[in-house]
Amino acid sequence: MPTTPATAANSASNGTGTQEPILLELVDEAGNTIGTAEKLSAHQAPGQLHRAFSVFLFDEQGRLLIQQRALGKYHSPGVWSNTCCGHPYPGESPFAAAARRTHEELGLSPSLLAQAGTVRYNHPDPASGLVEQEFNHLFVGLAQAVVRPDPEEVEDTAFVTAGELAKRHAEVPFSAWFMTVLDAARPAIRELTGDAAGW
C-alpha cells in the first residue's frame, strides 16, 4: 500500500527503536476535527468522540466477508465483526484509511470501494470497560482477491449470506458496534448487491 504523509508520520519510530503512540482524530458532533488523543485514552470511559471507519466487502454472490478479531487484541478480542474497522491517522482521509487497513488486516485491496454515509454511536464494552465513542465513516465494496489475514489482527474469516449472518449473530459473540454500522450501511449494501442478496 502507498505511504501518505499521514501514515508515514504515524508509523515512524521515535529513534529509540520504539513506536510513537498511535493518535486518533477527535471530532465534534458534526464530524469536524477538533484535536487528537492517544488511542487507548480515547477509548477509556467515558470515551472521547473520534473518527473511525467500517468496511463491508462482498463477493460476487453477494456474501459479506466478516472477520473474527484476533484473540490477542486488547479491545473486543475474539468477537466477530464486519470486514474491517479502524481509525484514520490524523490528517488521513477515511477512504485511504479504510483501504490501508483492509490490506494490512486481510491482505487484499477492495474493489469499487464507495462511501456509504456516516453513523455516530456510543457503545461501552462491558468485558474490557472501554468505550466506543465514534463518528464512523462507512464504506462498501467488493472482495475480488484471495483473503490472506494477518494472524496478529484476525483470528478467522468467513463469507456469509444475510441468512447465515443472522444465524451466526444469534449464536456467537459479535462486536458491540456491529449491528449499528451494518444497519447504517444497509442502503448502500443493497445498492451494491441487489435485492436478491437479501440485505
Side-chain angles (χ1 to χ4, degrees), residues 54 56 66-69 75-85 121 123-126 132 134 136 169 172-182:
S54 290
F56 297 84
I66 58 175
Q67 68 156 279
Q68 183 184 22
R69 292 165 62 84
H75 187 4
S76 302
V79 302
W80 287 86
S81 199
N82 49 292
T83 308
C84 180
C85 51
Y121 52 77
H123 285 303
D125 175 30
E132 290 287 7
E134 294 188 331
N136 197 305
H169 189 265
V172 300
F174 272 71
S175 64
W177 61 87
F178 174 72
M179 287 307 301
T180 299
V181 293
L182 175 62

Side-chain angles (χ1 to χ4, degrees), residues 10-14 16-21:
N10 283 277
S11 62
S13 71
N14 60 13
T16 62
T18 58
Q19 294 292 99
E20 293 282 359

Side-chain angles (χ1 to χ4, degrees), residues 159-195:
F159 282 96
V160 294
T161 65
E164 290 166 347
L165 176 63
K167 183 175 186 296
R168 187 183 293 240
H169 189 265
E171 295 173 348
V172 300
F174 272 71
S175 64
W177 61 87
F178 174 72
M179 287 307 301
T180 299
V181 293
L182 175 62
D183 287 343
R186 281 187 197 274
I189 290 171
R190 292 188 189 110
E191 186 174 335
L192 177 71
T193 62
D195 293 337

